[in-house]
Structure formats: C-alpha cells, structure tokens
Amino acid sequence: MANQHKHKLRGVRNTPDELWDALDAGAKSIGSDRSAVTRQLWEAWLGYPGAEWPPAPKQDAGE
C-alpha cells in the first residue's frame, strides 16, 4: 500500500512543544533523530542487554 509507514506509528502524548523541539535539536546536535534517541532511552532504561544511554546533546542544543 502506498503511503503506509514501514513501522507502526506511535505517538507520545502530552509532550509540550518546547520539550519536543528541544529533543529534536538535541538529537540533531549529536547526529541523530528523535526516534533513535527515544528508542535508546527506552532500551537503556529497561535494561536491555547491550543497550547504552544516548550521549548528551551539545551545550547549545534546545536553547
């Protein structure tokens, strides 16, 4: 089917725009994207084997 996502689309509710924008800027500052950083955070928090916390964003990200 055309225009169908490869992966199931999931949303994060009740996220303020400024937090969403800061996450986007922070992810870009480390050469990543929101989805990849969010996935890394969840995997590390849940203690998945081999999971690592994503690096912190560069200082000026999200400001």
Side-chain angles (χ1 to χ4, degrees):
M1 206 187 234
N3 297 329
Q4 189 169 15
H5 289 280
K6 179 180 177 182
H7 301 288
K8 185 175 183 177
L9 185 61
R10 303 195 186 268
V12 180
R13 296 183 184 160
N14 198 25
T15 305
D17 289 341
E18 54 274 1
L19 181 58
W20 193 255
D21 294 342
L23 175 62
D24 189 44
K28 287 178 180 175
S29 80
I30 61 168
S32 192
D33 59 58
R34 288 187 311 257
S35 293
V37 170
T38 302
R39 190 171 43 255
Q40 284 181 291
L41 288 167
W42 291 356
E43 290 173 352
W45 188 73
L46 290 169
Y48 278 29
E52 295 183 9
W53 292 96
K58 305 293 183 200
Q59 287 293 343
D60 59 344
E63 292 180 7

